[in-house]
Amino acid sequence: MTTSHDYGAESFTAPHIALFPNAGMGHLMPYLRLATTLLGHRCRVTLITPSPTLTAAESAVTASFLLSYPEVSHHELRLIPDDDNTTSGNPYFLRFGRIARSIYLIRPLLSSVSPPLSAVVSDLLAASQAGPILADLGLPLYILWTSSAKFTALVDNLSSDPSRFNSSLSQVDFPADLGIPPLPIESVPPPFFSPDHILTHMLVTNARALHLAKGILINTFEGLEHETLKALNHSRIENGMPPLLAIGPLELCRMEPPKTTTPAQAGDFKRWLDCQPADSVVYVCFGSKDPIEVAQIQELGKGLMMSGVRFLWAVKSRELSDKADGVRELLGDSIGEDLVGRRRGMVVSGWVDQDEILGSPAVGGFVSHCGWNSVAEAAAAGVPVLAWPQNGDQGVNAHVVEESGLGIFPKNWAIGNGHRNGPVKGEEIGEKIRDFMKNEGLRARARRIGEAAEVAVGVGGSSHATLTGVLREMARRP
Ligand code: UDP
Ligand code: UDP
């Protein structure tokens, strides 16, 4: 059965779209949000997830999502076994490679899906493998880019000459006609200094295959990255590259908490949060995958104590563990009752529902590592960000936070490219957080960005118009 939907002036048969995310929560979450957004536009959605997943969290979240959205069809793409030479190194990079090597298995799956597909949305790192297969099947490929538009500028720059970056430069300059301000070299992910690094190699190979895609969907919006979007799209169109399609912020998923969340803990902090005054709590979280060194965790604990500000801290010190950390064990005895005693703050170890937290009226600020999903979520919620990037694209995203007015970015805190020695001290952290939470001007600016986000996705808004344009294009297929 097909449904009809009015995507503007004319009426079209709603497209059937397959979504194929890469590994890791930071990749999965925006796909689930995109699925939710597409269902809101009455599309038919098929989700194809790599199996096995890299983390237990991904399978728990996928299962919970499918229970909440039974209209989404689900298929697993069984990955080929690891080869013996690739068992050490960053587990995310290794998994990205394994998925790329398994993509050829997607062909029979795509051609057997019923009703026939209108388009496939996948990750940049799948472009070079998936592009030719989809072209053969006559299916358009769209990329869902899981970082900022600004980071695409850096990747474009890298792929045009992979040996151009080195750590002795002071900054990265973009072509003058783009009008994009230079980026300090500390914001460049260190792997970009080695053309042979597995991540650099994968990014460059796939960025060069992007002409195989019809468009790059991004979870961003005009109110957050207007200048960058305008500049990049102008030059991409001139160079015959697919456009950047800002369709964010993507809709939140309404799903039950995943089964692995400890219910008592979840209930506890939610009750506590509900009782705090408006804008009084700073929420601290560094994403789902990058552990923070224990010494820095302990200084952050001291800083939160010294700040005098109420806080909710989702602490995490392991990369792929399925065991929550012991809070006391992590923070050390010196950090006493004040921190873990639930009077002025809560420390939660393990997974929290970040969307729900950012949506709480009590939360008035977010200390974030600036994974792009977290930035987009903060922008959508109108919550100011204190940017503390750790690695990867986070340094570039932190500049977006600062330039857009969504938050502040203390540059000397960033680990960047080994430019800081030792942890940032508790005194400095405490002072910065206190000032950040008192900054009413910043809070008002962040709130305006949240309002702009709402306008962007509303009927007639820029993201809504861009997405309906894409759907109309997809629906044109027979
Ligand atoms: N997240 C969450 N609870 C946590 C940690 C993370 O809900 O305890 C979500 C967060 O809302 C975001 C995603 O996981 O959607 C993490 O993606 P992001 O790009 O911010 O960072 P990454 O984990 O990829 O570094
Ligand atoms: N976690 C959880 N419920 C979830 C997702 C994660 O309790 O739905 C826990 C997970 O078991 C781990 C921590 O949260 O202890 C960090 O999540 P992450 O995304 O890193 O998952 P992991 O890589 O640990 O499987």
Side-chain angles (χ1 to χ4, degrees):
M1 194 190 74
T2 52
T3 47
S4 215
H5 184 51
D6 187 8
Y7 293 131
E10 311 151 70
S11 215
F12 294 96
T13 300
H16 180 188
I17 303 167
L19 307 182
F20 178 52
N22 216 322
M25 289 298 283
H27 283 271
L28 179 62
M29 290 307 288
Y31 278 80
L32 300 184
R33 295 226 160 102
L34 177 61
T36 308
T37 306
L38 293 173
L39 291 175
H41 285 257
R42 306 209 203 143
C43 297
R44 189 184 280 266
V45 176
T46 290
L47 179 68
I48 303 174
T49 52
S51 167
T53 59
L54 184 58
T55 62
E58 289 161 74
S59 45
V61 167
T62 304
S64 166
F65 174 83
L66 293 169
L67 271 178
S68 307
Y69 294 92
E71 63 273 50
V72 172
S73 313
H74 180 227
H75 298 274
E76 287 184 341
L77 181 82
R78 291 244 148 239
L79 300 181
I80 58 169
D82 265 329
D83 75 54
D84 289 336
N85 300 325
T86 53
T87 46
S88 67
N90 180 309
Y92 286 89
F93 300 166
L94 293 177
R95 182 55 61 92
F96 296 157
R98 185 171 165 200
I99 291 175
R101 287 194 299 280
S102 306
I103 283 179
Y104 72 94
L105 296 170
I106 210 169
R107 179 193 277 269
L109 214 165
L110 293 179
S111 43
S112 65
V113 166
S114 173
L117 290 167
S118 321
V120 176
V121 180
S122 192
D123 186 53
L124 168 71
L125 296 183
S128 64
Q129 300 291 333
I133 297 174
L134 294 182
D136 230 35
L137 294 173
L139 279 173
L141 168 67
Y142 285 80
I143 301 298
L144 176 60
W145 177 252
T146 49
S147 183
S148 52
K150 201 178 194 73
F151 196 64
T152 64
L154 190 67
V155 171
D156 280 353
N157 205 321
L158 175 75
S159 63
S160 67
D161 175 7
S163 58
R164 77 164 2 122
F165 296 155
N166 68 72
S167 52
S168 61
L169 299 171
S170 63
Q171 61 183 36
V172 173
D173 293 306
F174 295 98
D177 57 325
L178 279 185
I180 297 182
L183 269 173
I185 203 74
E186 296 80 28
S187 307
V188 175
F192 288 12
F193 300 129
S194 328
D196 298 331
H197 189 284
I198 175 172
L199 181 66
T200 310
H201 181 74
M202 282 192 289
L203 276 171
V204 169
T205 309
N206 287 291
R208 287 178 175 173
L210 273 182
H211 59 276
L212 299 171
K214 292 278 283 183
I216 321 279
L217 308 172
I218 313 196
N219 186 15
T220 191
F221 57 101
E222 289 288 335
L224 193 59
E225 291 197 276
H226 172 73
E227 294 300 325
T228 311
L229 286 164
K230 197 169 105 194
L232 288 179
N233 270 335
H234 185 72
S235 92
R236 292 179 85 87
I237 289 162
E238 276 192 346
N239 296 322
M241 291 297 282
L244 301 180
L245 302 159
I247 58 165
L250 295 169
E251 249 177 66
L252 303 187
C253 307
R254 294 170 312 279
M255 55 186 181
E256 290 299 310
K259 287 280 178 279
T260 54
T261 306
T262 319
Q265 187 190 53
D268 263 350
F269 83 76
K270 280 176 197 155
R271 267 197 300 280
W272 176 84
L273 200 55
D274 284 346
C275 300
Q276 307 310 311
D279 293 329
S280 69
V281 175
V282 64
Y283 164 57
V284 183
C285 180
F286 290 85
S288 69
K289 68 180 196 302
D290 298 310
I292 308 291
E293 277 175 27
V294 173
Q296 184 62 79
I297 288 182
Q298 296 185 348
E299 289 299 327
L300 176 53
K302 283 186 208 155
L304 285 168
M305 229 156 59
M306 289 170 153
S307 71
V309 171
R310 293 183 174 84
F311 60 85
L312 171 61
W313 181 14
V315 75
K316 184 167 185 335
S317 72
R318 300 178 221 228
E319 198 171 45
L320 286 176
S321 91
D322 274 333
K323 236 177 85 215
D325 299 296
V327 170
R328 275 182 193 279
E329 175 197 325
L330 262 180
L331 296 177
D333 287 340
S334 60
I335 303 173
E337 270 303 293
D338 190 32
L339 197 52
V340 290
R342 297 174 196 187
R343 290 202 304 267
R344 197 168 53 77
M346 286 288 285
V347 183
V348 187
S349 167
W351 191 257
V352 294
D353 185 342
Q354 181 158 300
D355 291 328
E356 199 178 358
I357 293 171
L358 289 172
S360 160
V363 171
F366 179 14
V367 176
S368 170
H369 73 316
C370 293
W372 186 249
N373 295 299
S374 292
V375 174
E377 288 157 17
V383 172
V385 171
L386 194 168
W388 192 349
Q390 304 293 314
N391 59 40
D393 58 346
Q394 298 154 16
V396 176
N397 300 341
H399 283 282
V400 178
V401 164
E402 187 178 63
E403 287 160 10
S404 64
L406 180 64
I408 56 167
F409 175 18
K411 314 278 181 313
N412 58 325
W413 288 16
I415 294 179
N417 161 31
H419 282 250
R420 205 192 70 222
N421 294 320
V424 183
K425 293 288 179 210
E427 290 78 4
E428 192 178 339
I429 298 171
E431 208 173 300
K432 189 69 84 184
I433 289 181
R434 191 165 50 242
D435 291 349
F436 168 63
M437 290 299 283
K438 275 203 275 198
N439 191 336
E440 288 303 328
L442 180 65
R443 187 158 298 136
R445 279 198 296 281
R447 206 161 273 151
R448 283 199 293 277
I449 291 178
E451 287 158 8
E454 212 174 314
V455 171
V457 293
V459 176
S462 56
S463 294
H464 188 275
T466 301
L467 181 58
T468 52
V470 170
L471 298 179
R472 197 180 299 138
E473 192 63 38
M474 290 176 175
R476 282 223 179 89
R477 290 179 40 78

